[in-house]
Amino acid sequence: MPDPHLSDLQSTIENLSARVAELDERLRALEHNPAEARKKTVAASPDSANESTLNPGLKIINRIGAITLAIGFVFFFKYAVDNSWIGASGRVFLGACAGLFQIALAEWLRRRNQPVFSQGLAGCGLATLYISIYAASVYYVLLSQPVAFMLLVAACALASPLSFLYGNPTIAALGLTGGFLTPPLLSNSQAHPWILFSYLLLLDLGSLAVAARRQWVLLKGLAFAGTAILFAAAIAGYHAPHPAAPIFLPIFFAIFFASSLNELPWLAWLNAFWCLICFWILLDQKYPGSFALVCFGLAACYGIASQGNARQALRSGFYMIAHACAGIGVLRLLALWAIGHSSPLTRASLVSELDSTFLALYAVLMIALAVARRSVLDRAIGLTVLGIVITKLYLYDVWRLDRFYCISAFVGLGVLLLAASFVYSRFRSRPGNS
């Protein structure tokens, strides 16, 4: 029977040998690369563990605390104004100093291995600095609009190096949000589309470069959302399309199209939808034929992208977007033809029947392609379009079409739907299809 004391002694010796080997490895690394070895030693130390890893709730509490602190500074400024403690210049100065102090304190905490607290404090400092500059311009009129714009942009740009320093996309997102809020917050009655669109372009290029370098998808979503909202609001507010809009819109589309090529199917869909709406606002009233050409151009872009080397889910999304854009273009051309070949009394009925007939034919064609290619995606597109046709027929056409168009629509579409069901049943019965 083995001696238990001897077993314990042997285990202790093995542990000591492992520790000696580990210390020897660290000493050798320290001789070759002292800085890297020091980083590894700190990372391996249990005392240096990240608070967010040890307690996820700590991060949430810290973020709420940072937001609460920023709101507290706002209330303090309001209270100081109501009681006339300090003048306008003093309030702005104290606010700016408070923001800078919080950023400096955050860096001090970061150097002492307090990442969660330092990140929240840095974000709060940026928000305080932004609010102070905005108040100096809008409420107290201490700064001219160009100076305030430059200072607000500088405050937002500060978020980029801070986000790199702390490795936190939330700080970068905070600065990007402030960047998109700056134009509407400082806007006046005069429109400057060339300046606005150029500013948005620079903001997008910078944010997407940061997102690509650090793989921060959040920044891509924020960049698209801010650009889409500000651009659509700008062109919708003009009495006539500004010449800058048709120039910048394809550029914005190309930027976000390139950003969605290897990931983010939702960005591809939103980008196409937003681009179509903006081109419809810009072109459809005066140049409806050009709007149809834009639809076909978008269809070509996404069709080519669907044949690329992206993952299957993304290529399927591109394929569906290409069909949607092409269908919208054909529907617009059919409407233009109906307008030129019908009287005002029957125009709406003719347009509606042409739309339904085309969609039904398109659905049958896609199902036939699904049979020939054994493509589940083509079948899904065909069945989806069929659902749209049936819904439109029973919820709109039956109530709005003239009697002749109503009868012809139901008869013609009934035949097409029977043909589609026949093709679909044959497709389902073939071996290898489901």
Side-chain angles (χ1 to χ4, degrees):
M1 181 175 180
D3 188 357
H5 297 288
L6 184 61
S7 299
D8 292 342
L9 181 60
Q10 185 178 2
S11 177
T12 303
I13 293 174
E14 291 177 354
N15 291 334
L16 289 174
S17 300
R19 293 294 301 272
V20 170
E22 181 181 355
L23 290 174
D24 184 61
E25 181 182 355
R26 291 183 183 178
L27 288 174
R28 291 179 180 178
L30 187 62
E31 292 176 356
H32 292 85
N33 193 347
E36 187 67 24
R38 192 176 296 109
K39 289 181 181 179
K40 292 182 179 179
T41 302
V42 172
S45 175
D47 296 333
S48 64
N50 195 326
E51 303 98 308
S52 60
T53 303
L54 295 175
N55 186 5
L58 179 63
K59 183 178 292 186
I60 299 176
I61 296 174
N62 177 260
R63 300 298 182 262
I64 296 175
I67 296 173
T68 304
L69 183 60
I71 296 174
F73 277 110
V74 175
F75 284 145
F76 169 76
F77 283 133
K78 181 67 169 57
Y79 188 76
V81 171
D82 295 339
N83 291 274
S84 302
W85 286 358
I86 51 178
S89 301
R91 297 180 208 126
V92 172
F93 178 75
L94 286 178
C97 289
L100 294 175
F101 173 75
Q102 290 175 81
I103 295 174
L105 181 60
E107 174 60 15
W108 183 81
L109 289 173
R110 186 190 69 84
R111 291 177 179 272
R112 280 150 184 81
N113 198 34
Q114 298 291 330
V116 173
F117 295 108
S118 61
Q119 291 169 8
L121 200 58
C124 182
L126 282 175
T128 304
L129 194 61
Y130 190 93
I131 293 171
S132 301
I133 299 172
Y134 173 72
S137 174
V138 177
Y139 289 107
Y140 306 132
V141 198
L142 299 175
L143 300 173
S144 63
Q145 189 183 54
V147 174
F149 180 81
M150 295 301 296
L151 290 177
L152 288 176
V153 171
C156 296
L158 181 60
S160 181
L162 286 178
S163 65
F164 284 164
L165 188 64
Y166 295 98
N168 191 342
T170 306
I171 297 177
L174 179 65
L176 184 60
T177 303
F180 282 114
L181 287 176
T182 297
L185 289 178
L186 296 181
S187 64
N188 51 27
S189 57
Q190 297 179 352
H192 302 284
W194 288 104
I195 298 177
L196 174 62
F197 297 153
S198 299
Y199 170 75
L200 292 179
L201 180 59
L202 293 176
L203 200 60
D204 288 338
L205 292 175
S207 59
L208 293 178
V210 173
R213 180 177 179 181
R214 291 300 183 96
Q215 299 298 315
W216 289 343
V217 178
L218 174 63
L219 296 187
K220 292 185 178 182
L222 280 177
F224 174 78
T227 302
I229 293 173
L230 291 182
F231 189 91
I235 63 175
Y238 300 148
H239 297 291
H242 194 276
I247 296 176
F248 278 91
L249 181 55
I251 299 175
F252 289 131
F253 169 79
I255 291 174
F256 293 109
F257 177 77
S259 299
S260 65
L261 284 178
N262 297 320
E263 56 182 351
L264 307 180
W266 57 267
L267 181 58
W269 279 98
L270 290 177
N271 191 28
F273 179 72
W274 165 73
C275 189
L276 282 175
I277 290 179
C278 291
F279 270 118
W280 179 76
I281 295 173
L282 293 172
L283 300 176
D284 195 65
Q285 292 296 323
K286 292 187 176 181
Y287 312 102
S290 299
F291 173 71
L293 293 178
V294 168
C295 294
F296 295 137
L298 291 177
C301 290
Y302 282 104
I304 295 172
S306 67
Q307 306 300 318
N309 297 323
R311 52 194 174 94
Q312 180 61 37
L314 193 57
R315 287 190 282 114
S316 298
F318 288 155
Y319 184 75
M320 297 175 70
I321 294 172
H323 278 276
C325 293
I328 293 173
V330 174
L331 290 175
R332 193 67 190 99
L333 291 180
L334 289 175
L336 292 176
W337 181 88
I339 291 173
H341 295 80
S342 62
S343 64
L345 295 178
T346 61
R347 183 171 299 161
S349 296
L350 179 58
V351 170
S352 183
E353 183 170 1
L354 286 175
D355 291 346
S356 299
T357 303
F358 165 72
L359 290 175
L361 288 171
Y362 198 83
V364 174
L365 175 62
M366 292 306 300
I367 293 177
L369 284 176
V371 171
R373 301 168 54 183
R374 297 187 177 183
S375 170
V376 177
L377 186 58
D378 288 338
R379 182 186 64 178
I381 294 175
L383 293 178
T384 301
V385 176
L386 271 184
I388 295 174
V389 172
I390 295 172
T391 302
K392 178 178 181 294
L393 182 67
Y394 283 94
L395 297 183
Y396 179 82
D397 291 348
V398 70
W399 306 107
R400 301 299 298 271
L401 295 184
D402 294 340
R403 184 173 298 272
F404 170 77
Y405 290 104
C406 185
I407 295 173
S408 61
F410 270 81
V411 172
L413 294 178
V415 173
L416 289 174
L417 291 175
L418 288 174
S421 64
F422 173 76
V423 174
Y424 179 58
S425 64
R426 290 290 301 273
F427 170 67
R428 295 273 294 183
S429 64
R430 291 185 61 176
N433 294 322
S434 57

